[in-house]
Structure formats: C-alpha cells, structure tokens
Amino acid sequence: MDSEHVASGGKVPTPVPEDSAVVVDARGSVMVWSAGATQLLGYEPEEIVGHHATDLLAADLPASARRHIAEGRQWATEVALRHREGVVSWCGCEEPRWWTRRAGGSGS
C-alpha cells in the first residue's frame, strides 16, 4: 500500500504507512502483520496473526467486494477497520492480481 490518504463519501482520510502489509490466507486468517499495520491500527503481530481478518472490520465489506470474493475475482474497496483503541479508520484494501492468478483465478 502506498502512503496516499484514502477516503470518499465524506469519510475522514487515514494516512497509510508505506510499509503497511497484511497477508490473509484462503480461510481468512491473518498470516503476516507488518510494522506499518501496527502503526496504522495499533495491534502487535501476536495479537492479530492467526485471527480471522474480519475481526478487524468495523463494518461489513461492500456487497460488490463480497460478491467478487465469492466468485474468486480480483477486488478493491475501502474498508472500515477497527483500531485497537476503538477508532474507525477507512483504508483502501485489495486482493492483488498476482494472487488471483496463482490461485487459479482469471486475474480479472
């Protein structure tokens, strides 16, 4: 993720550290939690790794993202994430194209 602020629809932008990275396996479990993710959301890796990624959501994923995930298609959206201290941060989130291809999807 880059350091751009991500926001739309009047939501407050959240600065995203350049080294923010979270890796989630096919079952939805967080496998990797970077220092940037800790800076952004306040959780240490040992608090998150092994837990389901949806535990971080402060709101449901948009229907279009859920549909793309169910169909195994690439997706990108803004998500409301819950900071360790309860604050909601709006951040861009996407499933990278290379993963879709490696997983046997069409990549589009």
Side-chain angles (χ1 to χ4, degrees):
M1 230 177 257
D2 61 26
S3 61
E4 294 295 315
H5 291 209
V6 180
S8 71
K11 300 174 189 125
V12 177
T14 300
V16 178
E18 287 189 29
D19 63 346
S20 293
V22 177
V23 177
V24 178
D25 70 11
R27 293 178 310 267
S29 294
V30 176
M31 302 304 295
V32 174
W33 187 261
S34 72
T38 297
Q39 181 182 349
L40 180 66
L41 295 176
Y43 300 99
E44 295 296 328
E46 57 273 11
E47 296 176 279
I48 295 298
V49 172
H51 292 267
H52 205 272
T54 57
D55 293 347
L56 296 167
L57 295 177
D60 289 337
L61 287 175
S64 60
R66 292 193 313 269
R67 189 170 45 257
H68 279 77
I69 291 167
E71 295 170 357
R73 296 172 39 205
Q74 183 181 1
W75 59 275
T77 191
E78 286 185 343
V79 294
L81 300 175
R82 188 178 324 283
H83 189 279
R84 187 171 194 252
E85 296 176 1
V87 177
V88 174
S89 297
W90 286 92
C91 301
C93 185
E94 66 183 87
E95 184 243 354
R97 181 175 294 276
W98 65 267
W99 178 258
T100 303
R101 283 198 297 262
R102 288 188 65 195
S106 65
S108 60

